[in-house]
Amino acid sequence: MVIDAKKAFDRLNHVKLFYPMYDVGIPVCLAKLLINGYSKISVFIKWNNCYSLQCLLKIGVRQGGVLSPILFNIYIVSVIKSLVLADLGCHIG
C-alpha cells in the first residue's frame, strides 16, 4: 500500500489545521498570531495578461514556509490519534 501525499500541504483546511495546536500546548498567543497570518492569504490568478478578482485562500500551508512542516506534522499527529481512538485504520501484525 502506498500513500500519496504529494498535494497534502495544498489541501489542509485552515480551520482544521489550527485546532490541534491547542491540544499540543502551543501558547494561545502564538496560535492566534498564526491564525491571523493565515486568514489573510489571498491570491490573484493571471491568464493572458488578465487578472482575476482577489480570492482568499482557506486551505493549504505556505510552500517553502519554515513553519509549514511543523504545522503539517501537528495536524497529522492529531489525525493519527483520532484514528487510533476510533480503532480505525490499518492494523499490521
Side-chain angles (χ1 to χ4, degrees), residues 7-21 35 38 57-61 71-72 75 78-79:
K7 301 207 181 237
F9 272 44
D10 297 334
R11 298 200 174 146
L12 275 178
N13 180 301
H14 287 173
V15 174
K16 293 180 182 178
L17 173 64
F18 292 109
Y19 277 124
M21 294 179 76
I35 291 167
Y38 268 83
L57 291 183
K58 297 181 181 182
I59 60 170
V61 291
L71 294 172
F72 183 77
Y75 175 77
S78 73
V79 169

Side-chain angles (χ1 to χ4, degrees), residues 42-55:
S42 61
V43 296
F44 293 96
I45 298 171
K46 179 182 176 186
W47 185 53
N48 290 336
N49 292 328
C50 294
Y51 290 90
S52 71
L53 296 175
Q54 181 179 4
C55 301

